[in-house]
């Protein structure tokens, strides 16, 4: 064994049949995940959010620098400030009475079946917002200068694990990406070498929450894969 290495940890000893069953069961659980845009104000224990962030932190990352920071926000004042700043950006994106939309007609057309607009009340209603920051620099010691690698890829995988863990915990999420999102850095007190990538909104769905039909159309295996 090369120096500084350890044996690969044991994986569960399964039969191929069990592997097929378990992968099918994992898919079944994940396919019921949908973005939620109406949340109840029911509280969610902090321990659930901690576990989801720990799970996110297991993601593979460039040179294992773990170039991410998750700001978990539950304070009513912070959530209100984030909602106000996000809605101000969204009004520019969607356009309001005074100014034309920053988003072009094609983009607005693509969003029409989802039915989104500049109102983001869930940013205050949901018990938790997790602001996800990509660390452009810092290395494993977070020194602010060491180069990081594959930062967006690493954070993207980490956010996938975060969302999957929250879904496993029986909670609804929304990946929210107001653009630009620079206001988040200031509101969360993060350094300027960090770039906010998304807000993951977490909570229980409101009783009248809906899923747009459009979101139920998933591409079939034949379309999303090729076998060579
Ligand atoms: N950030 C905006 C717009 C938006 C963009 C895409 I692409 C979406 O899939 C959904 C929304 C908003 O949150 O409304």
């Amino acid at each position: 064994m090369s120096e500084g290495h350890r044996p690969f940890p044991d994986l569960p000893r399964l039969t191929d049949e069990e592997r097929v069953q378990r992968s099918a069961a994992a898919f079944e659980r994940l396919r019921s995940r949908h973005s939620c845009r109406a949340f109840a104000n029911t509280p969610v224990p902090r321990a659930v959010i901690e576990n989801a962030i720990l799970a996110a932190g297991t993601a593979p990352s460039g040179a294992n620098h773990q170039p991410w920071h998750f700001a978990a926000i539950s304070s009513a004042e912070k959530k209100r400030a984030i909602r106000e700043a996000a809605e101000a950006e969204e009004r520019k994106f969607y356009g309001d009475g005074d100014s034309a939309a920053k988003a072009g007609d094609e983009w607005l057309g693509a969003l029409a079946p989802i039915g989104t607009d500049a109102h983001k009340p869930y940013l205050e209603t949901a018990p938790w917002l997790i602001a996800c920051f990509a660390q452009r620099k810092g290395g494993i010691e977070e020194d602010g200068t060491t180069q990081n690698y594959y930062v967006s890829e690493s954070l993207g995988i980490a956010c996938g694990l975060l969302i999957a863990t929250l879904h496993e915990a029986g909670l609804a999420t929304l990946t929210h990406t107001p653009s630009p999102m620079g206001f988040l850095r200031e509101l969360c007190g993060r350094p300027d070498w960090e770039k906010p990538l998304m807000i993951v909104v977490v909570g229980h769905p409101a009783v009248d929450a809906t899923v747009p039909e459009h979101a139920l159309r998933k591409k079939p295996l034949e379309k999303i894969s090729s076998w060579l």
Side-chain angles (χ1 to χ4, degrees), residues 37 90 93-94 107 111 114 116-117 120 122 176-178:
R37 293 187 175 80
E90 296 293 6
F93 177 86
Y94 287 98
W107 197 345
L111 291 178
I114 306 175
T116 51
D117 61 24
K120 307 296 178 195
Y122 48 74
H176 179 52
T177 51

Side-chain angles (χ1 to χ4, degrees), residues 36-42 73-88 90-91 94 115-129 174 176 178 199 201-204 206 208-209:
C36 178
R37 293 187 175 80
F39 286 84
N41 61 5
T42 316
I73 300 141
S74 62
S75 114
E77 302 76 59
K78 258 312 167 224
K79 288 193 290 181
R80 185 171 326 113
I82 290 173
R83 175 185 178 180
E84 280 167 13
E87 286 185 333
E90 296 293 6
R91 280 193 292 274
Y94 287 98
T116 51
D117 61 24
H119 295 101
K120 307 296 178 195
Y122 48 74
L123 291 174
E124 277 191 82
T125 335
W128 292 97
L129 308 178
L174 175 69
H176 179 52
I199 303 171
V201 185
V202 189
H204 294 272
D208 58 354

Side-chain angles (χ1 to χ4, degrees), residues 70-156:
F70 301 94
I73 300 141
S74 62
S75 114
E77 302 76 59
K78 258 312 167 224
K79 288 193 290 181
R80 185 171 326 113
I82 290 173
R83 175 185 178 180
E84 280 167 13
E87 286 185 333
E89 293 301 347
E90 296 293 6
R91 280 193 292 274
K92 290 186 235 162
F93 177 86
Y94 287 98
D96 56 19
D98 307 328
S99 54
K102 232 169 64 182
D105 286 345
E106 184 175 358
W107 197 345
L108 292 176
L111 291 178
I114 306 175
T116 51
D117 61 24
H119 295 101
K120 307 296 178 195
Y122 48 74
L123 291 174
E124 277 191 82
T125 335
W128 292 97
L129 308 178
I130 308 176
C132 307
F133 293 87
Q135 299 178 325
R136 287 184 282 227
K137 292 188 174 296
I140 202 160
E141 302 301 342
E142 307 213 352
D143 59 20
T145 53
T146 301
Q147 185 60 47
N148 285 339
Y149 309 97
Y150 299 105
V151 171
S152 306
E153 293 85 344
S154 304
L155 189 62

